[in-house]
Amino acid sequence: MCFKISHCFLLVALATCFFLLQPADSAQPAGENKLEIFSWWTSGGESAALNALFDVYKKQNAGVEIVNAAVSGGGGSAARPVLQTRLAGGNPPDTWQTHPGYELIGQYVDPGYCEPINELYKTDGWDTAFPKELVVNLMTKDRKIYSVLAGIHRGNVLWYNTKLLEKNGIKVGDQMTFDQSFAACDKLKAVGVPALGVGDSGIWASAQLFENTLLGVIGAKGWVDLFDGSMQWDDPKVKEAMKLFAKMQDYLNPDHTALSWDQAIKALMDGKVAFSSMGDWADGEFLKANLKEKEDFGWVSHPGTDGSFIVVADGFTLAKGAPHKEAAMAWLKSIGSKEAQEAFNPLKGSIPARTDVDRSKFDGYHQWSMDSFSKDKLLASCVHGEAAPAAFQQALNDAVTAFVVDKNIDNFANTLVEAVKESQSAK
Ligand code: GAL
C-alpha cells in the first residue's frame, strides 16, 4: 500500500441529519458576537480542558458568546459524520477540532471547507514556536497552513491501577514486554480480575489497542514501511500482532462493548480492571478525579513501543464562510498562545504543541511525555485519522469489529490488504 502523501506523518522521517439539529445560534448573521466551536470533547477531562481554553479566550475576548457545539463520542466517531453533514450542507461551525495529516487535508482542506491561516503564523511568531516539521508536513497544502494545534497526545500508553497491581504482587518497571504483560494478565485472571479494561462501544478503542500492539511488534521502522506501502498488511509480523491482539481478548472486561473509553478508565480507577491501553487523554480523566500519579495510577509505554511516540494531535480550523470569522480568528490566535497551551494541556493529558512553554507547570506524566516526544520516533496514528485516508481508517475499524468476533487472522489481514488497494484506486 502506499499512503504516500507529502503530509503523511512519517514523522520518523522527520525526527527521525445534524444539519437540522444545528444549534440555533449558528445561523446568526456575520458580525454577531458569537463563536461556534465544534469538537468531541465531552468526557470529564475533555470538558475541563475545553473549558480552560474557553476561559483564556473569554479573558482575551470579553463579550463574545461561545456556542459549544460538542458532539460526544470518543475519538470523534459520532462527531465527524455530523460535521461532514453540516459542511456539505453549507452550515459550518466557525471552527472545529481535527487531527492533522489525512484527516485535515483529505476531509476538510481538499473539499474546500477551510480557510488558510498563514497570517497567524507570521504575526504571532508561531513559525518558530511550533514544531516546523509537524506544521509543514501535516497541516500545510500548497504552502497554505490550515490549522493550529492545541496539544499533542501520545497514543501508545499502558495505564494501570497501582494499588490493584500491588495487591496482586505485580510489579511494573520502566518498560513492559508482551510476555510480562501476559504474565500479569494470567495472574489477575486467576483471581477473577479482568486485566485489560476496554470501552469499545465505539469500536475505535479496540482499534487503538490493536494499533498499539501492532507498533509493539513491527516497530517504528515497520510502521513507516506499512504506511508508505513497503510492508503489506498480510506481512508475517503484522499477523503476529494480530495474534497477540486476539490473545488479549481473553483478558478483557466482559462489559467492554457497553462502555465508552472513559467508562473503561473509570473501571480502572475503581479497581475493576487493572490495565488500559489508551492515549493519554486518559490522564485527563485521572486528573479530573483527583487521582495521584504513581500512588493511584501509573503508566508505561504499551508493550514493545518504548522509543516510539504515536502522535495524536488536536488542532482547530477556520471554516470557509465562517459565520463569525473575526471571533474565529481570535479563537485560533488564543489557542496558539502560551497561556492557552499552558492552561489546556495540564488538564487534557496532552503536551503543548508549542515548544517554548514553561515545563515547570506540568506534572510527572507530562514531563515523561515531553521527554518522549523530544527523543522518540514520532509516528502518525491511523486510528485517529492521520496516517491513512478516512476510507482506510474506517476499513480498519470494520475489520477490527469482525476480528474480535471471528479471530480469523487471514481474513483480518486480507481485508486490510484489499482496503489499501481500494483506498488507492479511490484517489
Ligand atoms: C482523540 C482526540 C483526543 C481525545 C480522544 C478521545 O481522537 O485526539 O483529544 O479527545 O480522541 O475522545
Side-chain angles (χ1 to χ4, degrees), residues 40-41 46 73-76 97 99 153 204 261 281 312-314 348 384:
W40 58 86
W41 287 339
E46 290 174 337
Q97 175 195 353
H99 299 120
H153 283 292
W204 69 272
W261 72 269
W281 40 93
V312 185
D314 289 311
K348 186 71 169 67
H384 296 277

Side-chain angles (χ1 to χ4, degrees), residues 283-299:
D283 190 45
E285 302 305 305
F286 295 129
L287 297 170
K288 175 80 184 156
N290 286 317
L291 262 55
K292 301 256 170 315
E293 293 184 339
K294 310 276 176 186
E295 217 175 284
D296 299 313
F297 70 97
W299 65 88

Side-chain angles (χ1 to χ4, degrees), residues 364-412:
Y365 173 74
H366 286 83
Q367 301 286 340
W368 181 85
S369 183
M370 283 190 241
D371 286 346
S372 166
F373 186 81
S374 65
K375 67 177 170 26
D376 290 344
K377 303 267 193 286
L378 306 179
L379 304 167
S381 166
C382 179
V383 171
H384 296 277
E386 297 165 338
F392 185 82
Q393 178 190 11
Q394 184 60 45
L396 178 62
N397 279 341
D398 294 346
V400 166
T401 307
F403 184 66
V404 295
V405 176
D406 70 14
K407 308 226 177 77
N408 185 320
I409 290 175
D410 288 336
N411 277 355
F412 193 12

